[in-house]
Amino acid sequence: MSMDRLQEKIRQKKNPTVAGLDPTLDHIPQHLKDEAFAKYGKTLRGAAEAYRLFCFGLIDALQDVVPAVKPQSAYFEVLGSAGIAVLEQVVAYAKEKGLYVIMDAKRGDIGSTCEAYANAYLGGISIDGEPIVSPFDADCLTVNGYLGTDGIKPFTALCKEHDKAIFLLVKTSNPSSKELQDMIAGDRVVHTVMADLAVRLTDKEQLMGKHGFSRIGAVVGATHPSDLKNLRAKYPQLFFLVPGYGAQGGKAKDVQYAFDQFGHGAIVNSSRGIMCAWKKTEDGTGRDYQEAARAEAIRMRNDICRYVAIL
Amino acid sequence: MSMDRLQEKIRQKKNPTVAGLDPTLDHIPQHLKDEAFAKYGKTLRGAAEAYRLFCFGLIDALQDVVPAVKPQSAYFEVLGSAGIAVLEQVVAYAKEKGLYVIMDAKRGDIGSTCEAYANAYLGGISIDGEPIVSPFDADCLTVNGYLGTDGIKPFTALCKEHDKAIFLLVKTSNPSSKELQDMIAGDRVVHTVMADLAVRLTDKEQLMGKHGFSRIGAVVGATHPSDLKNLRAKYPQLFFLVPGYGAQGGKAKDVQYAFDQFGHGAIVNSSRGIMCAWKKTEDGTGRDYQEAARAEAIRMRNDICRYVAIL
């Protein structure tokens, strides 16, 4: 099952971290941009080619260190169809290298629109009776559940059919997440209502995997360690995707609370920390971006594993 | 200002409705699919071409009847980059025909990711110092604000800079919208907290237009007439985008509450009602899809205008 596979890849590599792929031209070393612009000019297509070179290079450098990558769709969308064409290639390349792919697109809608999103990222479409074609076929998708169960069920239905998983936004890492997500209604908090929805759907639609986690996971930010601790205790069946480590202020001693007593059930994201590691090396040209990314991914793994032993 | 332009287009056409463009192969007449498949085969590209023919045809048929169109991004995303290339063309074509384009993508994220979404749909990107290129350049975008102010501000900043607008999800039309959106916390309800955020940002960032509406509008479903009435009274400065008319059960007498005493401040969506009108004609082949869509759009306009006089 999809969430089982994620847990297994984490155990194999003894590394509970995911490398975020959030390309922007500012983060890409000059020599890659030069190569891309020489081919396609300073155009959307040229920029997309620079994203491709950079993401492929990062995947090559990280493939035996991290269990998963998380492409952030927004950065590809800003290049329009040229960016999406490269996003398709990045997902395929990462899967080829044995990485688990979490598409970070935070989609959410209802009914047939929601089905279209599910099919876009986790399924596919049959064109006039032809076999199903999948533009992305990621392993997992992040989902925004503000619309309620109607906006989650089409995803879980497809997750069962195509053996996929989702991460539902529960408590995000940003400061203003408290405005809505921490509102208290009687004995409930908005973000636990979202987690409760995940648990209810898990039971109703039999979404549990053999390692004790549901196909519906939860996004819970590293920047709220006490929430992490409470949510871990309250929702043992939800796998956590934890953003906010590094640049946003979350530390290894904070994220340890995302894991259960076996060191299971969570994966911690780092995007800029790994992608932009080359900016902090002596070289400074970015020609060493792969070594720098790899070194940072190993440092991060070791940092977290000082607090978390993966059994 | 962008929301002023929407109000002006509505007044010009005396029609407060928006045609949703939610293409699927099931909704597209056979002769258009035949034409598209003949060109590009039964492939993602062939399907995308069918979407293009259908959407262009609908825009031609509706351009002097409706003030706006609302492409639903999900249906294009399911075709991957081929779908997005056509979505770019559909937005451009609708704008060429003088229509206001609301991109229904319900995006939401924080920080630089949120900026990337804003730039993708409402702005553009400068590639290595070149002039800004815009893959879509829509007039307006739907936004999911579950992440709080951090997830809205990058949109409003760009709205001011590029003269654009957004619709924030407040109270959606689906049955399970109550699960989260109607939670009561003290004297507040989750969905009014979202509307309050819109009002606070409007004041703080001076987002009001000359017709008395903010650059931040609100999505409020036609299926909750009492909420529509209360929200209209409470938030006179928020323009409402109203889904749920027709297929979902909302009626003209329900949606009248979305408008102020001048018949201003709201636009009602119909997607399948207009797109699939050809399925209900005697012809049945779909060769009359344009006439059928146009007739339904006029019927809907007249239906709503029985209750709403636009001054």
Side-chain angles (χ1 to χ4, degrees), chain A residues 182-201:
Chain A
D182 291 355
M183 280 177 66
I184 296 168
D187 58 346
R188 302 169 88 198
V189 181
V190 165
H191 70 258
T192 64
V193 169
M194 202 60 96
D196 290 340
L197 278 184
V199 170
R200 202 184 323 143
L201 275 170

Side-chain angles (χ1 to χ4, degrees), chain B residues 174-223:
Chain B
N174 56 306
S176 78
S177 68
K178 63 177 182 295
E179 293 171 348
L180 203 85
Q181 297 166 25
D182 291 355
M183 280 177 66
I184 296 169
D187 58 346
R188 303 167 89 199
V189 180
V190 166
H191 70 258
T192 64
V193 169
M194 203 58 98
D196 290 340
L197 278 184
V199 170
R200 202 185 321 143
L201 276 170
T202 298
D203 294 344
K204 201 168 159 196
E205 304 190 9
Q206 302 182 296
L207 302 174
M208 287 296 280
K210 65 182 177 189
H211 298 319
F213 297 103
S214 167
R215 282 183 195 277
I216 311 179
V219 175
V220 186
T223 46

Side-chain angles (χ1 to χ4, degrees), chain B residues 162-182:
Chain B
H162 291 256
D163 190 12
K164 305 286 184 177
I166 61 170
F167 283 108
L168 197 60
L169 298 186
V170 169
K171 173 66 184 162
T172 58
S173 55
N174 56 306
S176 78
S177 68
K178 63 177 182 295
E179 293 171 348
L180 203 85
Q181 297 166 25
D182 291 355

Side-chain angles (χ1 to χ4, degrees), chain A residues 22 25 30 33 37 42-44 47 51 72-75 77-82 84-85 88 104-110 112-113 116-117 119-121 124-128 130 133-136 144-151 169-177 179-181 183-186 188-191 193-194 197 200 248 272, chain B residues 22 25 30 33 37 42-44 47 51 72-75 77-82 84-85 88 104-110 112-113 116-117 119-121 124-128 130 133-136 144-151 169-177 179-181 183-186 188-191 193-194 197 200 248 272:
Chain A
D22 298 17
L25 288 174
Q30 192 60 45
K33 289 190 277 195
F37 294 154
K42 292 180 178 177
T43 60
L44 293 172
Y51 285 22
Q72 171 49 258
S73 181
Y75 297 101
E77 289 174 46
V78 74
L79 303 181
S81 53
I84 300 302
E88 293 170 2
D104 194 0
K106 299 187 176 61
R107 295 301 192 258
D109 212 300
I110 53 168
S112 53
T113 308
Y117 279 134
N119 280 319
Y121 296 101
I125 182 170
S126 162
I127 294 167
D128 205 37
E130 297 291 309
V133 276
S134 302
F136 300 102
N144 185 329
Y146 182 72
L147 289 90
T149 309
D150 302 334
L169 299 185
V170 169
K171 174 66 183 161
T172 57
S173 56
N174 56 306
S176 78
S177 68
E179 293 170 348
L180 204 84
Q181 298 166 25
M183 280 177 66
I184 296 168
R188 302 169 88 198
V189 181
V190 165
H191 70 258
V193 169
M194 202 60 96
L197 278 184
R200 202 184 323 143
Q248 286 182 58
R272 269 167 294 172
Chain B
D22 298 17
L25 288 174
Q30 192 59 46
K33 288 190 278 195
F37 294 153
K42 291 181 179 178
T43 60
L44 293 172
Y51 285 21
Q72 171 50 257
S73 180
Y75 296 101
E77 289 174 47
V78 76
L79 303 181
S81 53
I84 300 302
E88 292 170 3
D104 195 358
K106 300 188 175 62
R107 295 301 193 257
D109 213 300
I110 53 168
S112 53
T113 307
Y117 278 134
N119 280 319
Y121 297 100
I125 181 170
S126 163
I127 295 167
D128 204 39
E130 297 292 308
V133 277
S134 302
F136 300 102
N144 186 330
Y146 182 73
L147 290 91
T149 309
D150 302 334
L169 298 186
V170 169
K171 173 66 184 162
T172 58
S173 55
N174 56 306
S176 78
S177 68
E179 293 171 348
L180 203 85
Q181 297 166 25
M183 280 177 66
I184 296 169
R188 303 167 89 199
V189 180
V190 166
H191 70 258
V193 169
M194 203 58 98
L197 278 184
R200 202 185 321 143
Q248 287 181 57
R272 269 166 294 171

Side-chain angles (χ1 to χ4, degrees), chain B:
Chain B
M1 186 275 261
S2 186
M3 210 61 101
D4 289 330
R5 284 202 307 280
L6 175 58
Q7 181 61 61
E8 285 156 17
K9 282 178 195 286
I10 291 171
R11 288 188 69 190
Q12 273 162 23
K13 289 178 174 158
K14 294 277 177 210
N15 186 1
T17 73
V18 49
L21 300 174
D22 298 17
T24 70
L25 288 174
D26 290 341
H27 297 339
I28 300 180
Q30 192 59 46
H31 70 288
L32 297 181
K33 288 190 278 195
D34 290 344
E35 188 184 334
F37 294 153
K39 241 189 265 181
Y40 299 113
K42 291 181 179 178
T43 60
L44 293 172
R45 177 114 192 253
E49 174 64 7
Y51 285 21
R52 189 188 68 77
L53 291 170
F54 185 52
C55 291
F56 276 36
L58 288 172
I59 290 166
D60 285 338
L62 299 170
Q63 53 149 324
D64 63 334
V65 178
V66 300
V69 289
K70 181 173 76 62
Q72 171 50 257
S73 180
Y75 296 101
F76 298 87
E77 289 174 47
V78 76
L79 303 181
S81 53
I84 300 302
V86 161
L87 180 57
E88 292 170 3
Q89 293 176 57
V90 167
V91 173
Y93 193 71
K95 287 177 67 184
E96 229 178 274
K97 299 290 174 180
L99 295 168
Y100 187 88
V101 178
I102 302 168
M103 178 71 86
D104 195 358
K106 300 188 175 62
R107 295 301 193 257
D109 213 300
I110 53 168
S112 53
T113 307
C114 192
E115 277 171 35
Y117 278 134
N119 280 319
Y121 297 100
L122 304 173
I125 181 170
S126 163
I127 295 167
D128 204 39
E130 297 292 308
I132 285 180
V133 277
S134 302
F136 300 102
D137 202 24
D139 295 297
C140 186
L141 178 71
T142 55
V143 169
N144 186 330
Y146 182 73
L147 290 91
T149 309
D150 302 334
I152 305 169
K153 267 183 143 172
F155 287 113
T156 55
L158 185 138
C159 282
K160 278 187 84 166
E161 195 187 340
H162 291 256
D163 190 12
K164 305 286 184 177
I166 61 170
F167 283 108
L168 197 60
L169 298 186
V170 169
K171 173 66 184 162
T172 58
S173 55
N174 56 306
S176 78
S177 68
K178 63 177 182 295
E179 293 171 348
L180 203 85
Q181 297 166 25
D182 291 355
M183 280 177 66
I184 296 169
D187 58 346
R188 303 167 89 199
V189 180
V190 166
H191 70 258
T192 64
V193 169
M194 203 58 98
D196 290 340
L197 278 184
V199 170
R200 202 185 321 143
L201 276 170
T202 298
D203 294 344
K204 201 168 159 196
E205 304 190 9
Q206 302 182 296
L207 302 174
M208 287 296 280
K210 65 182 177 189
H211 298 319
F213 297 103
S214 167
R215 282 183 195 277
I216 311 179
V219 175
V220 186
T223 46
H224 321 288
S226 67
D227 288 330
L228 259 183
K229 203 186 286 193
N230 295 337
L231 294 168
R232 180 71 293 157
K234 191 166 179 194
Y235 302 104
Q237 67 278 67
L238 300 184
F239 204 101
F240 290 174
L241 169 62
V242 184
Y245 172 90
Q248 287 181 57
K251 306 223 175 308
K253 71 171 170 38
D254 302 327
V255 301
Q256 65 177 309
Y257 302 116
F259 297 84
D260 67 17
Q261 69 269 43
F262 309 109
H264 298 171
I267 192 159
V268 181
N269 180 71
S270 168
S271 302
R272 269 166 294 171
I274 292 173
M275 271 193 324
C276 301
W278 64 268
K279 293 187 180 179
K280 295 182 177 172
T281 67
E282 256 181 59
D283 182 89
T285 66
R287 292 201 171 268
D288 60 346
Y289 79 98
Q290 291 181 295
E291 296 83 342
R294 189 181 166 81
E296 168 59 20
I298 290 170
R299 191 208 60 76
M300 177 178 168
R301 177 195 69 195
N302 295 345
D303 184 32
I304 291 174
C305 290
R306 284 190 297 143
Y307 296 91
V308 180
I310 303 171
L311 301 182

